[in-house]
Amino acid sequence: MKKYKEVSIDSTTQQMYERAQEMGIETVWERLEKQQPQCGYGLLGVCCRNCMMGPCRINPFGGEPTRGVCGADADTIVARNLLRMIAAGAAAHSDHGRHVALTLLIAAEMAEKFKKEGKPVLELDNMASNTLPYQVRDAEKLKAVAERLGIETEGKTIRELAKEVAEVALHDFGKQDEEALRFLKAYLNPKTYEVFETAAAKAGMPWFENGILPRGIDREIVESLHRTHIGTDHDPVSILLHGLKTSLGDAWGGSLIATELQDILFGTPQVIKAEANLGVLKEDYVNIVVHGHEPVLSEKIVEAAQDPELIELAQKYGAKGINVVGMCCTGLEVLMRHGIPIAGNFLQQEMAIVTGAVEAMVVDVQCIMPATVDVARCFHTKIIDTSPLATFPGAIHIKFDERRADEIAKEIVRTAVENFPNRSKKRVEIPKEKMAGYVGFSVEAILKHFGGNLKPIEEAIVEGKIKGVAGLVGCNNPKIKQDHNHIKIANELMKRDVLLIGTGCWATAAMKYGIFLPEYADTDNVGPGLREFAKEWGIPPALNMGSCVDCTRMLVLADLIARDLNVPISALPVVGSAPEAMTEKAVSIGTYFVASGITTHLGIVPPVLGGPKVVKILTQDLYDIVGAAFIVEPDPYKAARLMYDHIMKKRKELGI
Ligand code: NFS
């Protein structure tokens, strides 16, 4: 068993971990310990289970066996395994994006149907009617996206535009022609487009038509599975090139669609103050934790929790009201748009339940541990699964249907409220700590803040007040003390005057330690140039750009700067980092950052070390192919140094 200080730097996690130990509740850290020693072949990526002649594994010390039964060597196996990870990550993000596009389409079609049935016409044409389960909250963004996509907007209603945008998005998933994705073409600057077009030829594989430009979001994911089937693609170069292409289908397709269409449906985030950490749970309220990724659900739960009837019911049971808080990325979605407090990042999902104060944890998809059900059994907490594609044994299943979203959301909230009397007051212990911070830095909000363009940031970079920008992303991983590397890397970069932007569980970590407060700029963790810049503009030294699909906001921002300077993204003094990476989605993000021209650090060594050629491609050769590559470094101090060096190298190349 670990000491509580070894698992996290977050005192709320430490307290709840200690509590779990006292109560004999098994958590992620015990399960990790029971897995020790973890399989060396797996860690190096040299085991193959892609056919039933296997499983095969390669001797990592150079002796026999050097090949699998089919003859695949270590590099082929490592590359194939990596491609499958990228494909799974891209699939998760993109299926989320598809779901949002379908929701927009469903809403537009319902508006059409209601209109035909004679319901109030104007409201339905504007898609502002609350007879619809989902409305268009940001019509301006809808028009902007439509215009970018080349859709004629003149004389069309919001309803017609919403339908057309949803259809273009859905077409990008399944189209079969060789053209690049329409969303990619609409968003990417021509210089970076050219990099994608010529990348494969530069890698010696000119038969990749259109280079690494993704053609169909689903198509590239399917092709990843095809290529890695026994007896198909064996060259690590072509396997990895297809990995870049698949990840770009995620970045400039699936994830981008998720972000943009969510903004249309739920509103584009604007700067707002909110709170983070387990202290946001309230002792005398019904606590509902929304956990997972898709705001299509969490938005509705937030709405339903404001229903006077349900609040009254909660009061009847002796609660003061209903308190909805977030966890992981769906938490970030409602945090960014409504300032709903976020209870924690990935490693706090079990900890939230251990407080004994959670009536329901409402989950949809991704990053939800099945163990939450086991922990919940020790308390009165109900785990409610809602997605038809994610069922948790032992949970309550209230499956979501967008057409009946309001009704189902109310049923879910009611289930939570009715569980309040089952709470044992004696067993409640909520850590006090929580932290305030400013969130909501969408690209639109950033542009607005800086007066309509990015000149102030660009000038500060040219002057050297800011040395560059780092995009920090990704998970917690119990192999690393929770949040330790997130915060160390952030501080080490800010000390060197690097402006931070970030998403996902990194963003929640940063918020918990006060980094999203403007006054953080006064601490010793921020260099003088960045301090001056942050103060001048009244911003924190790090900007929360949202959930993991919102990594596309970072790409769009980088792309805008690249456009202004008329260079590809790879020329910018910009780096990425996933200090505590854990998911396949993080692998896809890292890959699309690199493919888009942003050199990216990983704090967890991915399972590739068994393939020396693969390692060389990922960490060196990609510089010549896409202008960026991976840096792998578990030590946060060394990692920050390497990232800073990269920024300085890029500055020199730009002559600044
Ligand atoms: Ni991103 Fe969100 Fe967190 Fe990692 Fe999971 S919540 S999509 S994958 S663990 S950052």
Side-chain angles (χ1 to χ4, degrees):
M1 250 186 214
K2 294 214 171 203
K3 295 225 173 61
Y4 66 92
K5 284 207 168 146
E6 288 168 14
V7 301
S8 178
I9 60 166
D10 181 332
S11 65
T12 72
T13 303
Q14 292 175 358
Q15 288 164 56
M16 288 304 103
Y17 178 66
E18 223 185 354
R19 184 166 207 245
Q21 284 191 327
E22 280 162 19
M23 291 178 153
I25 298 169
E26 186 181 80
T27 68
V28 65
W29 291 283
E30 285 76 51
R31 294 190 295 271
L32 176 65
E33 214 159 271
K34 285 185 187 170
Q35 286 295 332
Q36 302 307 316
Q38 284 176 307
C39 170
Y41 296 105
L43 286 168
L44 295 172
V46 289
C47 54
C48 179
R49 291 189 296 109
N50 292 12
C51 84
M52 288 183 283
M53 292 192 289
C56 297
R57 67 233 188 293
I58 305 300
N59 184 336
F61 303 108
E64 288 297 337
T66 57
R67 291 181 179 266
V69 180
C70 72
D73 66 10
D75 280 300
T76 301
I77 291 174
V78 168
R80 284 198 304 217
N81 288 341
L82 183 65
L83 177 53
R84 286 198 166 195
M85 288 185 89
I86 295 169
H93 284 146
S94 302
D95 215 26
H96 169 171
R98 179 200 331 271
H99 193 184
V100 180
L102 284 171
T103 305
L104 185 62
L105 184 67
I106 288 170
E109 285 175 349
M110 281 176 87
E112 206 171 353
K113 184 168 163 269
F114 290 167
K115 192 183 162 184
K116 277 191 197 137
E117 288 167 2
K119 294 200 175 146
V121 173
L122 190 64
E123 282 293 271
L124 290 172
D125 276 347
N126 289 336
M127 288 191 68
S129 166
N130 60 9
T131 51
L132 293 171
Y134 294 95
Q135 291 119 44
V136 167
R137 294 253 172 81
D138 193 343
E140 214 175 292
K141 177 133 187 182
L142 173 66
K143 281 186 206 146
V145 172
E147 268 160 25
R148 266 200 199 245
L149 290 167
I151 295 171
E152 180 58 60
T153 55
E154 268 308 295
K156 287 190 187 151
T157 62
I158 295 301
R159 177 175 52 78
E160 285 161 341
L161 281 181
K163 192 169 176 203
E164 270 184 68
V165 166
E167 280 169 351
V168 171
L170 291 168
H171 186 65
D172 264 353
F173 282 89
K175 74 185 194 60
Q176 305 298 329
D177 59 59
E178 298 299 315
E179 291 281 302
L181 301 176
R182 199 153 152 199
F183 263 82
L184 179 144
K185 283 197 204 161
Y187 279 76
L188 194 67
N189 90 67
K191 294 266 176 177
T192 312
Y193 189 92
E194 212 181 293
V195 174
F196 294 173
E197 224 173 5
T198 54
K202 280 191 199 147
M205 304 227 159
W207 53 88
F208 268 72
E209 221 181 303
N210 287 336
I212 53 170
L213 282 165
R215 304 152 294 181
I217 301 164
D218 290 348
R219 180 175 179 179
E220 308 311 350
I221 294 166
V222 169
E223 192 175 304
S224 296
L225 296 179
H226 183 177
R227 277 178 186 266
T228 53
H229 186 276
I230 154 90
T232 309
D233 199 3
H234 301 107
D235 191 320
V237 177
S238 54
I239 294 170
L240 294 175
L241 281 174
H242 189 72
L244 301 186
K245 194 189 252 194
T246 305
S247 73
L248 290 174
D250 174 353
W252 300 94
S255 285
L256 181 64
I257 288 168
T259 295
E260 297 299 79
L261 273 50
Q262 280 169 185
D263 283 355
I264 291 169
L265 281 166
F266 309 121
T268 304
Q270 297 300 329
V271 180
I272 186 172
K273 196 175 190 184
E275 289 179 330
N277 218 343
L278 289 178
V280 301
L281 291 166
K282 292 185 184 166
E283 196 153 349
D284 31 21
Y285 279 70
V286 172
N287 288 307
I288 301 178
V289 181
V290 284
H291 177 19
H293 283 78
E294 297 186 357
V296 169
L297 169 76
S298 55
E299 280 278 334
K300 284 285 144 183
I301 301 293
V302 168
E303 258 177 61
Q306 287 158 16
D307 184 303
E309 220 176 277
L310 290 170
I311 294 174
E312 207 177 295
L313 185 67
Q315 285 162 347
K316 203 184 100 198
Y317 287 125
K320 283 194 182 145
I322 306 170
N323 182 36
V324 178
V325 302
M327 179 71 62
C328 286
C329 282
T330 206
L332 284 160
E333 299 282 359
V334 286
L335 171 84
M336 290 281 283
R337 295 197 176 87
H338 309 291
I340 297 291
I342 186 151
N345 49 3
F346 177 74
L347 282 177
Q348 282 169 298
Q349 53 189 292
E350 291 172 292
M351 303 297 102
I353 301 171
V354 172
T355 62
V358 174
E359 273 57 55
M361 184 173 266
V362 184
V363 305
D364 52 59
V365 288
Q366 303 166 23
C367 301
I368 306 141
M369 295 187 200
T372 50
V373 177
D374 302 316
V375 180
R377 274 200 197 102
C378 306
F379 300 91
H380 71 302
T381 307
K382 292 193 160 131
I383 307 292
I384 304 177
D385 67 32
T386 61
S387 168
L389 61 86
T391 297
F392 291 68
I396 299 177
H397 319 301
I398 307 181
K399 299 297 187 183
F400 208 62
D401 171 359
E402 293 70 35
R403 289 176 185 81
R404 296 194 301 118
D406 292 289
E407 189 188 323
I408 298 173
K410 278 185 196 163
E411 186 190 340
I412 291 170
V413 173
R414 184 183 301 276
T415 307
V417 169
E418 284 171 350
N419 195 25
F420 186 75
N422 299 326
R423 186 198 284 188
S424 158
K425 281 199 182 141
K426 283 191 302 226
R427 297 188 79 216
V428 171
E429 187 186 320
I430 304 173
K432 293 204 173 42
E433 294 86 342
K434 57 182 176 179
M435 181 58 82
Y438 287 88
V439 302
F441 288 93
S442 58
V443 174
E444 290 82 351
I446 292 174
L447 283 169
K448 193 169 141 199
H449 192 88
F450 287 101
N453 59 58
L454 298 171
K455 286 261 148 37
I457 298 180
E458 290 159 10
E459 280 167 15
I461 292 174
V462 173
E463 275 170 42
K465 207 184 264 183
I466 297 174
K467 295 294 183 297
V469 180
L472 273 67
V473 304
C475 330
N476 290 139
N477 186 324
K479 291 178 177 177
I480 294 174
K481 196 191 271 193
Q482 185 199 12
D483 298 341
H484 177 267
N485 288 9
H486 282 326
I487 303 307
K488 286 286 176 265
I489 288 182
N491 284 339
E492 289 304 304
L493 288 170
M494 287 188 292
K495 269 181 208 163
R496 295 178 169 96
D497 292 323
V498 175
L499 175 68
L500 304 186
I501 53 178
T503 60
C505 289
W506 176 83
T508 303
M511 191 165 170
K512 290 190 291 179
Y513 303 94
I515 296 178
F516 293 151
L517 286 169
E519 47 269 38
Y520 198 81
D522 293 321
T523 67
D524 294 343
N525 293 316
V526 177
L530 177 60
R531 179 177 302 140
E532 195 187 320
F533 180 75
K535 287 197 163 295
E536 192 182 333
W537 288 95
I539 53 166
L543 308 179
N544 183 346
M545 294 191 80
S547 68
C548 279
V549 289
D550 293 338
C551 286
T552 59
R553 297 194 202 275
M554 299 202 259
L555 287 183
V556 170
L557 190 74
D559 184 75
L560 288 179
I561 298 177
R563 267 173 208 266
D564 286 348
L565 304 181
N566 196 27
V567 293
I569 295 173
S570 59
L572 301 176
V574 168
V575 284
S577 172
E580 303 179 15
M582 177 272 298
T583 60
E584 291 164 316
K585 290 180 290 177
V587 177
S588 179
I589 293 172
T591 309
Y592 74 54
F593 263 35
V594 168
S596 299
I598 301 172
T599 287
T600 296
H601 157 258
L602 297 176
I604 286 276
V605 182
V608 297
L609 291 189
K613 272 192 207 151
V614 171
V615 172
K616 183 170 168 290
I617 297 167
L618 296 175
T619 57
Q620 295 173 31
D621 300 354
L622 282 179
Y623 282 116
D624 297 326
I625 299 170
V626 289
F630 283 99
I631 298 170
V632 180
E633 176 53 67
D635 181 295
Y637 297 96
K638 283 189 197 153
R641 178 86 240 172
L642 291 169
M643 289 163 73
Y644 179 72
D645 289 348
H646 179 80
I647 284 176
M648 295 312 276
K649 185 169 153 250
K650 288 288 157 187
R651 291 183 66 90
K652 209 164 158 200
E653 283 169 15
L654 278 175
I656 55 174

